[in-house]
Amino acid sequence: MERQRNSLRMQRQELKLRKQILRERERQEEKLSFFQLLKHEWNCFWNFVDGSLKMKIILVLCALLLIGTVTKTISDRLLYRQKDIVDAFAASEVGCVESRIQITADYGTAFLTEHDKQALIGYLADAIGVRMDGEITSRETDVSQVYSYTKQARQAATTIKAITLREDTSRTYLYVELEIYQDTEYDILNYRDIILDTLKDMGVKQAETTLQLLGAYSGKLPVSEWDKLADKMIGNLSGKVIYENRDEDLYTIYAYSNMLSEYITVENKKINMQVAMRYEADNDRTVLYLATPIIRGEW
């Protein structure tokens, strides 16, 4: 009886093994037939291409277009990492007389007390090394409540605000403006990174940044020279002119460059560079402005 059981057991195992072998053979045959079919279709395609000059030309053009698109995308990304608005400004070969950065951030919908808003201002001031030796002021209007701190130093001016709108008292906006005089080393870029990193640590997910550089040339340059300077700066960032007014009385150019991250949209067109120039008769100098995305305030 025991021998019969063992024999049946061995027969079952043998049948099971045979089934596995048969399934494996079927899989291999299916794979083989699939690859054979694929190879056959591939050969048919190339036979068709080989006999059609028009198809060859189309394939070559498609390949060139694909290579060109990929190359441009990669080069733009690499250049973006290496370039900033400072690179374009340096092309004008003028020392930076003044730099300014303005950053606005949505802090969120958490309700903040007066003490909380003052603490936020103090935290931002400490991050950029501003010693608060004055008072934080408060101002209310029909549309907003603003807590602000301003400090004027010999080489810089700083303003930090916490703003709450009347229509949404649970939402607070933070605003930081830093102006550096005679910023020949472009220290404004370091402060920009510090402020953005600090806001990120505070939980801010997105911030709008405006960076503006101002330079000056002695005397009155001819408008033809203004054109050369503007075109050189915009070209340095591979920018495309969107709108321009090259009259001496109101000289301003708006452009867009893939190498600068932020932009605004005007009439469905992207803009992230502005060049402006004017002559100051009182100081007998030609002033040059370069900003991204645009100049904020008077110029």
Side-chain angles (χ1 to χ4, degrees):
M1 192 71 177
E2 185 66 28
R3 289 179 181 177
Q4 289 179 351
R5 290 177 179 174
N6 290 335
S7 177
L8 289 171
R9 222 181 268 120
M10 291 177 64
Q11 288 178 3
R12 290 195 198 100
Q13 291 177 353
E14 186 176 352
L15 286 172
K16 186 177 181 180
L17 181 60
R18 287 180 180 178
K19 288 180 179 179
Q20 290 177 349
I21 293 173
L22 288 173
R23 287 175 183 171
E24 186 62 31
R25 285 180 181 176
E26 290 175 356
R27 291 195 192 100
Q28 290 178 355
E29 289 175 357
E30 287 177 358
K31 288 181 180 178
L32 185 60
S33 61
F34 172 75
F35 285 119
Q36 287 176 342
L37 179 61
L38 185 62
K39 183 179 180 181
H40 174 71
E41 294 295 332
W42 182 256
N43 290 334
C44 289
F45 171 74
W46 278 112
N47 288 334
F48 171 71
V49 171
D50 190 49
S52 174
L53 178 61
K54 183 178 180 181
M55 182 59 70
K56 288 181 180 179
I57 294 174
I58 292 174
L59 287 176
V60 170
L61 291 176
C62 289
L64 291 175
L65 181 61
L66 179 62
I67 292 171
T69 302
V70 172
T71 303
K72 185 179 185 305
T73 301
I74 293 174
S75 63
D76 283 350
R77 291 295 181 184
L78 291 175
L79 286 170
Y80 169 70
R81 292 192 190 99
Q82 296 173 357
K83 289 198 171 187
D84 207 320
I85 190 175
V86 166
D87 295 271
F89 190 80
S92 66
E93 298 178 353
V94 58
C96 186
V97 175
E98 182 179 299
S99 63
R100 178 186 296 173
I101 190 169
Q102 296 161 296
I103 298 177
T104 304
D106 185 346
Y107 188 66
T109 57
F111 180 79
L112 299 178
T113 64
E114 177 181 349
H115 176 75
D116 293 332
K117 295 172 185 178
Q118 291 179 346
L120 288 175
I121 292 174
Y123 187 78
L124 287 167
D126 184 65
I128 57 178
V130 174
R131 182 179 177 182
M132 296 182 63
D133 47 13
E135 294 184 356
I136 296 175
T137 61
S138 174
R139 179 172 59 88
E140 294 189 20
T141 67
D142 294 336
V143 296
S144 66
Q145 181 185 50
V146 181
Y147 289 87
S148 63
Y149 176 78
T150 300
K151 183 169 185 176
Q152 181 70 51
R154 184 171 60 87
Q155 292 186 333
T158 307
T159 299
I160 305 174
K161 298 180 181 180
I163 306 167
T164 302
L165 301 180
R166 291 291 187 187
E167 62 183 17
D168 188 1
T169 56
S170 63
R171 186 176 295 274
T172 299
Y173 295 90
L174 300 175
Y175 173 81
V176 182
E177 179 177 337
L178 176 62
E179 192 172 353
I180 303 177
Y181 315 124
Q182 298 301 326
D183 188 10
T184 56
E185 300 298 324
Y186 302 105
D187 292 329
I188 198 71
L189 296 180
N190 295 327
Y191 284 105
R192 176 195 62 184
D193 295 340
I194 291 172
I195 296 169
L196 292 176
D197 288 342
T198 302
L199 289 170
K200 185 177 180 180
D201 293 340
M202 295 167 66
V204 172
K205 295 181 179 180
Q206 186 175 2
E208 295 180 0
T209 304
T210 297
L211 178 61
Q212 177 180 308
L213 303 173
L214 181 152
Y217 299 89
S218 298
K220 184 178 182 180
L221 298 181
V223 176
S224 59
E225 193 66 26
W226 297 13
D227 290 337
K228 290 180 182 178
L229 290 169
D231 294 340
K232 190 174 183 179
M233 288 190 295
I234 294 171
N236 189 268
L237 290 178
S238 300
K240 176 184 177 183
V241 174
I242 305 301
Y243 169 81
E244 59 185 349
N245 186 79
R246 298 186 183 236
D247 294 334
E248 183 177 349
D249 293 335
L250 180 62
Y251 191 98
T252 183
I253 302 172
Y254 297 91
Y256 176 76
S257 168
N258 287 327
M259 299 178 192
L260 301 174
S261 58
E262 292 197 26
Y263 64 87
I264 63 172
T265 303
V266 180
E267 296 181 350
N268 297 322
K269 294 181 180 180
K270 296 179 181 179
I271 294 174
N272 60 6
M273 289 180 68
Q274 182 180 359
V275 179
M277 298 187 72
R278 60 183 172 85
Y279 172 67
E280 292 182 349
D282 294 342
N283 298 316
D284 188 27
R285 65 175 189 173
T286 302
V287 180
L288 165 66
Y289 295 87
L290 177 62
T292 180
I294 61 172
I295 299 171
R296 293 173 65 177
E298 297 181 358
W299 49 272

